[in-house]
Amino acid sequence: MDLSTLRASSELILEASDIFDREDVAAQIESAVAGLSDTTAIRVAVVAILRQSRAAGLERISAAFKAAPFASQAATASYCYLTDCAVAAAYDAALRYLHPRQVATTSEQLAIVAVGGYGRGGMAPFSDVDLLFVIPYKMTAWAESVIESLLYVLWDLRLKVGHASRTVRDCLRLAREDYTIRTSLVEMRFLLGDHEVFQQLQTQLRDKLFKHTVGEFTEAKLAEREARHLKQGGQRYMVEPNVKEGKGGLRDLQSLYWIEKYINGVFHAEQLVEAGVFSAEEFATFEAAQNFLWAVRCHLHLIANRAMDQLTFELQVAVAEAMGYRDRGGRRAVEHFMQAYFRHATKVGELTRIFLTALEAAQMKKEPVVLRVLRRKPKLKPGFCVLQNRLALSDPEAFLKDKMNMLRLFEEAMRTGLLIHPNAMRLLSANLHLIDASMRKSDEAVRIFTDILLKHGNPERGLRRMNELGVLAAFIPEFEPIVAMMQFNMYHSYTVDEHTIQTISHLAAIERRELIEELPVASGILAEGLNRKVLYVALLLHDIGKGRPEDHSVLGAKIAREVAPRLGLKPREVETVEWLVRHHLLMSDMAQKRDIADPRTVRDFAKAVQSVKRLDLLTVLTVCDISGVGPGVWNNWKAVLIRALYRQTKKALETGLEDLNRENRGTEAKKNLRKALPDWSKAALRHETNRHYPPYWQGLHVTAHQIFARLLLDIPDDEIRMDLQPDEDRDATRICFAMADHPGVFSRICGALALSGANVVDARTFTSKDGYATAVFWVQDAEGHPYKDLRLGRLQKMINETLKGTLVAREAIQSRDKIKKRERAFQVPTSISFDNEGSEIYTIIEVDTRDRLGVLYDLTRTLAAANVNISSAVIATYGEQVVDTFYVKDMFGLKLHAKAKRDSLEQKLRDALKQGATRALS
């Protein structure tokens, strides 16, 4: 048996003999099979020894890798070496003890070839073992027996073996027909057997197939890459990326290697420099990205104890720990790890562009002459030209003599609509040092950057490319810390820098009048005109303070005060940008965490905003900020809240805050109800309008008043009446309840809704003067939509059973209130605050905690047990985090003024949350 092709120990993470002692294993097998004649017994003996040796080797490699968690090249080579040794030992046993070859005739030649990832010579702990058995002509009984025995041993070792047995001619024919087979053969590596058969296959593939099909193979690989990216989500910053198949992942690097090997026979990545594909610096980037991604993949396999390439939330935490990342600077270890991951993924994108352009320039994808004649070249400014239908540089040396050209390139690309040639991108990346302090202060640089933001209608295109190439962080150094910064939660779909660019993209789309139907208020504000520069700069800087221990809004405002003047803003504009960054969450928080039906909410917000001009700017910024969080985050519910707060605040600012009082709202609401019930007698109307306290009239729309009037009409004390209707405007189902009042009714309704799986997004409850409870809840299903008609009956039945006591919510909820495995990695500290100033008649309790099915029920049950009456609840969900806000009074109808009482209540709420969380994680 010739094992000379197996890797030398210098490439391994341990001495070769520590991984697999070939001589010792061979001796053990020889001793174990001595005297055995039964083939099954021989195989069992061989498997037992190989299983033990392989397990010991795996354990040693894993231990060495855990001690050097970034040594992925040595680790992958070691896993591959161990597999080679196992295959070789099994093959040797088959030849020696099971199917000895009497005479080595030409027809009984056999080459065992490693193909695919295994052929490349690097493996993760649970990678597939792809083997190709090559015979010169047709399959012989001897070759078939050897292959069968070898495979049985490998299967018994629990290896995931992919295999095929083919003649040289078969390999050639199938490779022509199937690109997957052809790609696997590009990376084939001779393992064992007859080397001349392997050489014959290699020569014929190169001479008869590879040489003449470079173009078609390249195009097929590029099309496959595009399809793969689309399947994986189409973007680099997926929150749970696939380290192998995702954009900027290992497969992208491997694609470059496949194509270059197909064309030039490059066998080692280092030869990409010799082939002129990459510079030495670019190859260092290639190597760093490859080593990092392989390290991540190997740790994923070891932690999951199986083949696993998806970097899920819970595995991100474990991999970060395994690779030695630690919490620091106000950020979790997993966030530092994922920032490194995304930065490497971005670099992979850059390298891919460089490689593909070099390829295109060399030979591929030549544009048809007809198209070249028909396509009109745009008129370019001096110093620029069109190369391969991309914006290129006429004279790179002259380009670098004027620093401003580093920005002009992006301006020209946006003006002409051309993509930037990767050679120009390379030049920029290599000369970022030219963007220095003097350039940043230059009026011309400021003008160019401002034009990129404001002039061409799609600033996100320029900003995204500037960001990927490092130009944006070089021009605004304060931006650098948030580049590729991941926010480890289920709410944000993008890294901080990509979120920032997304918000600017949404603003540009509103300006282009593309979102009039979805965003009528923001579209109307922009149509009337405002300071665009202030708005764009505020969006660019709104999250620039993230990732530090301080409040990012406060720190961001300080940074904005420094950066905005450099971007050419006047003192008054700087002041506005600073205010917007400082308060960019104010409108979102007021709308989603406070009861905007309470006049005090609008009054306080109006006092904070102070002018319609600031209100307009903040409204548009808020809409863009929420829209840029991720797909589906902006919805009808948020739209209704933001619009209502905007309109009420604008009216208050224009007509005076004194119009905002309960009495005015109550009078108006009663008048509207009388109009809505024209068939009711005056006596019935008088009874209905007199039976409710003032908060009822200012807290609900006339539609709800009308429903409650009908539900309460002649209601017996022992009956529970309900009305379930879709509220399309709010993207929720509205449920109105009317029943005799009793302590804890609000909590019991919450329990019933939790049992039915409904997510409460808003709720109001009132008690009438004659002792009836009226409560309205807005709920959504698990997907965040109103309940379909078919499911409303089941929902109503569940609520009835719970309210009548047939089902005891506290018991029934225990088995259902569980936190999913993939969500357990998130840490959401609980904070509870009491506010006696935010409402004239209520204490506002805000609970910020981990979301789960039973959290609202646990909180409301605890409040009821403490004799705290809930008037309304506002629920805002941010991924795995929920903020439940309650407007409450004590049993005497007063605010919770006593500190001792508030402290006691806070402890009870914390205890309830802790017990619920423990149960949900069990």
Side-chain angles (χ1 to χ4, degrees):
M1 175 177 63
D2 177 18
L3 295 183
S4 60
T5 58
L6 300 191
R7 287 178 172 267
S9 59
S10 61
E11 298 176 27
L12 306 175
I13 203 162
L14 293 163
E15 288 296 320
S17 58
D18 290 334
I19 294 171
F20 192 98
D21 191 330
R22 301 199 305 244
E23 290 180 7
D24 180 59
V25 169
Q28 285 185 56
I29 290 174
E30 188 174 3
S31 171
V33 302
L36 296 177
S37 56
D38 180 65
T39 54
T40 303
I42 292 170
R43 198 176 79 226
V44 168
V46 170
V47 167
I49 292 163
L50 289 183
R51 183 177 289 149
Q52 187 179 0
S53 301
R54 186 170 172 274
L58 285 170
E59 198 173 317
R60 291 191 193 107
I61 296 169
S62 300
F65 181 51
K66 285 171 186 174
F70 284 86
S72 62
Q73 209 166 355
T76 54
S78 299
Y79 284 119
C80 187
Y81 175 76
L82 179 60
T83 304
D84 285 354
C85 289
V87 173
Y91 178 63
D92 183 53
L95 285 184
R96 282 176 190 267
Y97 311 115
L98 296 172
H99 312 288
R101 187 163 48 177
Q102 303 301 325
V103 181
T105 63
T106 310
S107 62
E108 288 195 334
Q109 286 182 316
L110 172 66
I112 302 176
V113 181
V115 293
Y118 180 38
R120 197 165 46 248
M123 299 178 78
F126 291 91
S127 289
D128 295 354
V129 180
D130 292 323
L131 294 172
L132 175 64
F133 300 99
V134 187
I135 47 179
Y137 310 114
K138 64 178 183 177
M139 182 68 73
T140 64
W142 171 84
E144 192 170 2
S145 299
V146 170
I147 292 167
E148 186 180 276
S149 294
L150 173 59
L151 288 174
Y152 273 127
V153 171
L154 298 179
W155 287 331
D156 287 347
L157 290 175
R158 301 286 185 269
L159 289 171
K160 192 177 176 185
V161 182
H163 64 95
S165 304
R166 296 182 184 128
T167 64
V168 172
R169 183 179 290 177
D170 286 340
C171 289
L172 226 64
R173 176 178 56 81
L174 291 166
R176 275 198 187 93
E177 297 168 0
D178 189 317
Y179 283 112
T180 304
I181 293 172
R182 197 186 306 186
T183 304
S184 72
L185 292 173
V186 169
E187 296 196 288
M188 67 181 184
R189 173 172 61 94
F190 176 71
L191 204 58
L192 299 156
D194 298 289
H195 195 265
E196 56 267 33
V197 176
F198 172 78
Q199 281 183 319
Q200 186 186 348
L201 172 62
Q202 196 173 43
T203 303
Q204 292 207 26
L205 279 171
R206 182 144 299 284
D207 293 346
K208 294 184 179 180
L209 181 60
F210 292 178
K211 263 186 191 176
H212 315 294
T213 56
V214 168
E216 69 174 61
F217 179 77
T218 303
E219 292 204 15
K221 287 292 110 185
L222 298 183
E224 182 187 286
R225 174 176 165 268
E226 299 238 346
R228 187 178 71 250
H229 287 172
L230 210 60
K231 187 179 177 184
Q232 291 297 323
Q235 57 147 323
R236 196 168 289 113
Y237 298 127
M238 297 300 292
V239 287
E240 293 183 294
N242 187 304
V243 70
K244 182 181 176 186
E245 304 287 352
K247 195 168 186 178
L250 279 167
R251 188 67 87 204
D252 279 0
L253 288 175
Q254 287 160 5
S255 295
L256 310 188
Y257 181 63
W258 288 332
I259 294 168
E260 189 60 24
K261 189 170 180 183
Y262 197 93
I263 299 166
N264 296 322
V266 167
F267 287 91
H268 300 290
E270 297 83 4
Q271 291 174 277
L272 292 169
V273 179
E274 294 166 27
V277 177
F278 294 138
S279 67
E281 292 80 11
E282 287 161 349
F283 175 68
T285 303
F286 176 100
E287 212 168 25
Q290 183 171 249
N291 287 345
F292 182 88
L293 293 170
W294 266 113
V296 172
R297 189 175 183 219
C298 287
H299 286 297
L300 270 174
H301 280 216
L302 291 173
I303 292 162
N305 200 33
R306 62 186 175 89
M308 170 56 115
D309 297 317
Q310 195 81 32
L311 205 45
T312 60
F313 289 128
E314 70 270 22
L315 288 173
Q316 286 171 21
V317 175
V319 172
E321 186 181 348
M323 293 181 74
Y325 287 89
R326 298 290 176 262
D327 296 354
R328 59 183 168 81
R331 294 172 65 206
R332 289 183 66 185
V334 66
E335 292 175 319
H336 291 292
F337 161 62
M338 289 306 294
Q339 185 169 27
Y341 178 91
F342 287 127
R343 288 191 172 192
H344 281 295
T346 302
K347 291 295 182 186
V348 171
E350 281 181 42
L351 293 170
T352 306
R353 278 195 300 271
I354 290 165
F355 177 84
L356 295 180
T357 309
L359 201 65
E360 199 174 294
Q363 85 254 340
M364 312 302 136
K365 300 167 77 175
K366 292 234 173 125
E367 193 174 29
V369 176
V370 177
L371 281 181
R372 290 205 296 273
V373 171
L374 291 176
R375 182 179 284 121
R376 291 179 62 189
K377 288 186 179 179
K379 193 172 180 182
L380 300 174
K381 290 183 178 177
F384 298 104
C385 62
V386 174
L387 182 64
Q388 294 164 266
N389 201 34
R390 293 179 177 89
L391 182 65
L393 310 176
S394 306
D395 183 345
E397 283 186 30
F399 177 87
L400 292 175
K401 284 176 183 173
D402 184 352
K403 297 175 183 179
M404 298 306 150
N405 286 333
M406 303 286 280
L407 292 177
R408 286 193 189 111
L409 176 64
F410 297 98
E411 183 186 34
E412 189 67 0
M414 294 186 73
R415 188 185 68 80
T416 58
L418 289 170
L419 296 173
I420 300 173
H421 196 284
N423 286 348
M425 293 188 204
R426 290 170 94 170
L427 194 71
L428 250 63
S429 295
N431 291 279
L432 291 175
H433 61 277
L434 295 177
I435 304 175
D436 55 16
S438 65
M439 180 192 167
R440 292 182 203 112
K441 292 174 185 172
S442 156
D443 290 344
E444 176 64 2
V446 170
R447 180 203 63 77
I448 297 168
F449 185 77
T450 306
D451 282 356
I452 290 170
L453 265 186
L454 303 176
K455 195 173 176 182
H456 302 284
N458 55 347
E460 70 279 5
R461 185 173 150 244
L463 290 173
R464 189 171 284 116
R465 186 64 76 232
M466 288 173 77
N467 187 38
E468 288 176 353
L469 296 175
V471 174
L472 186 57
F475 188 67
I476 305 174
E478 295 86 351
F479 197 84
E480 199 279 334
I482 64 168
V483 173
M485 181 188 283
M486 185 229 196
Q487 302 169 87
F488 190 67
N489 56 52
M490 290 175 61
Y491 181 57
H492 292 92
S493 297
Y494 307 113
T495 53
V496 180
D497 55 336
E498 179 60 21
H499 161 70
T500 299
I501 293 167
Q502 288 281 341
T503 65
I504 289 171
S505 174
H506 281 283
L507 176 55
I510 298 169
E511 280 201 302
R512 293 193 299 266
R513 312 290 289 159
E514 292 173 4
L515 301 172
I516 295 172
E517 194 175 324
E518 297 92 328
L519 304 172
V521 171
S523 297
I525 291 169
L526 284 168
E528 289 176 16
L530 43 62
N531 190 322
R532 296 175 64 239
K533 186 192 281 191
V534 162
L535 191 51
Y536 273 100
V537 171
L539 276 174
L540 182 66
L541 304 179
H542 80 281
D543 273 348
I544 205 162
K546 280 201 168 176
R548 267 61 69 90
E550 306 98 306
D551 181 324
H552 83 279
S553 299
V554 176
L555 180 59
K558 289 178 187 171
I559 295 171
R561 195 187 310 151
E562 299 294 321
V563 175
R566 291 208 311 264
L567 298 179
L569 274 72
K570 296 168 188 170
R572 290 294 293 275
E573 292 175 325
V574 172
E575 187 186 320
T576 305
V577 167
E578 184 184 345
W579 185 89
L580 285 168
V581 174
R582 172 68 184 85
H583 298 286
H584 73 270
L585 296 174
L586 177 64
M587 189 173 202
S588 174
D589 284 349
M590 280 288 193
Q592 295 184 77
K593 299 179 187 177
R594 290 292 179 266
D595 184 356
I596 57 176
D598 188 325
R600 185 65 174 268
T601 301
V602 179
R603 191 179 300 138
D604 287 351
F605 181 59
K607 282 179 180 175
V609 174
Q610 295 183 342
S611 70
V612 173
K613 185 180 85 170
R614 274 190 176 178
L615 174 65
D616 286 347
L617 288 165
L618 184 59
T619 301
V620 177
L621 184 143
T622 302
V623 168
C624 294
D625 190 15
I626 297 172
S627 301
V629 167
V633 174
W634 177 264
N635 54 28
N636 283 356
W637 180 257
K638 291 185 179 78
V640 165
L641 296 175
I642 296 291
R643 283 172 202 161
L645 183 56
Y646 172 77
R647 286 171 179 149
Q648 290 180 48
T649 308
K650 187 177 182 183
K651 185 180 178 185
L653 289 168
E654 288 174 342
T655 63
L657 298 179
E658 61 275 2
D659 282 359
L660 287 171
N661 62 61
R662 294 172 185 279
E663 197 175 318
N664 287 354
R665 286 193 177 187
T667 305
E668 190 71 23
K670 290 175 185 179
K671 192 192 298 181
N672 290 336
L673 180 63
R674 290 187 191 101
K675 285 182 188 172
L677 299 171
D679 53 331
W680 279 41
S681 67
K682 284 186 179 181
L685 279 169
R686 193 180 306 113
H687 175 68
E688 178 60 26
T689 54
N690 287 338
R691 80 192 304 176
H692 299 288
Y693 292 105
Y696 173 86
W697 298 108
Q698 58 91 27
L700 295 172
H701 188 265
V702 65
T703 313
H705 290 149
Q706 190 179 348
I707 292 167
F708 280 126
R710 297 190 191 282
L711 290 176
L712 287 167
L713 191 63
D714 301 326
I715 184 172
D717 286 351
D718 60 349
E719 188 177 339
I720 298 167
R721 290 182 178 176
M722 261 184 283
D723 179 89
L724 292 82
Q725 297 289 337
D727 190 334
E728 300 296 347
D729 286 345
R730 299 191 181 211
D731 218 11
T733 297
R734 184 186 60 233
I735 310 176
C736 293
F737 298 90
M739 67 192 85
D741 191 26
H742 53 81
V745 67
F746 190 93
S747 176
R748 286 178 65 189
I749 294 172
C750 289
L753 293 170
L755 281 176
S756 63
N759 292 319
V760 178
V761 290
D762 202 356
R764 304 276 186 282
T765 181
F766 309 95
T767 303
S768 66
K769 294 172 185 176
D770 52 350
Y772 287 96
T774 51
V776 57
F777 282 73
W778 284 268
V779 301
Q780 293 176 331
D781 63 16
E783 282 73 49
H785 300 299
Y787 276 79
K788 299 279 191 296
D789 289 346
L790 290 172
R791 296 177 64 196
L792 283 177
R794 186 172 165 230
L795 180 65
Q796 189 163 0
K797 184 185 174 195
M798 178 74 77
I799 293 167
N800 263 321
E801 286 180 355
T802 310
L803 291 177
K804 287 177 179 176
T806 312
L807 262 177
V808 180
R810 192 170 183 177
E811 295 169 6
I813 206 168
Q814 291 192 18
S815 61
R816 305 184 195 194
D817 188 13
K818 299 294 178 186
I819 293 173
K820 294 174 185 171
K821 186 184 174 187
R822 73 183 288 266
E823 297 171 14
R824 295 187 176 201
F826 300 109
Q827 296 173 0
V828 183
T830 294
S831 68
I832 300 174
S833 64
F834 293 81
D835 176 9
N836 278 323
E837 304 302 320
S839 174
E840 289 171 358
I841 58 175
Y842 299 108
T843 293
I844 302 171
I845 304 175
E846 185 179 292
V847 182
D848 187 336
T849 193
R850 175 64 174 270
D851 192 23
R852 55 185 170 79
L853 181 68
V855 71
L856 184 62
Y857 173 60
D858 286 346
L859 291 170
T860 54
R861 183 167 46 81
T862 305
L863 291 171
N867 296 313
V868 173
N869 296 320
I870 302 167
S871 169
S872 64
V874 182
I875 292 89
T877 307
Y878 307 91
E880 75 285 359
Q881 176 190 5
V882 68
V883 180
D884 288 347
T885 306
F886 303 98
Y887 283 67
V888 305
K889 293 179 180 179
D890 66 13
M891 61 192 297
F892 304 109
L894 302 172
K895 289 184 179 184
L896 309 182
H897 289 293
K899 186 177 184 302
K901 189 170 187 177
R902 294 199 302 269
D903 290 346
S904 170
L905 182 58
E906 180 178 344
Q907 191 55 54
K908 288 174 182 174
L909 291 169
R910 285 186 180 277
D911 289 345
L913 289 171
K914 190 175 179 182
Q915 288 168 16
T918 303
R919 182 185 66 232
L921 289 166
S922 63

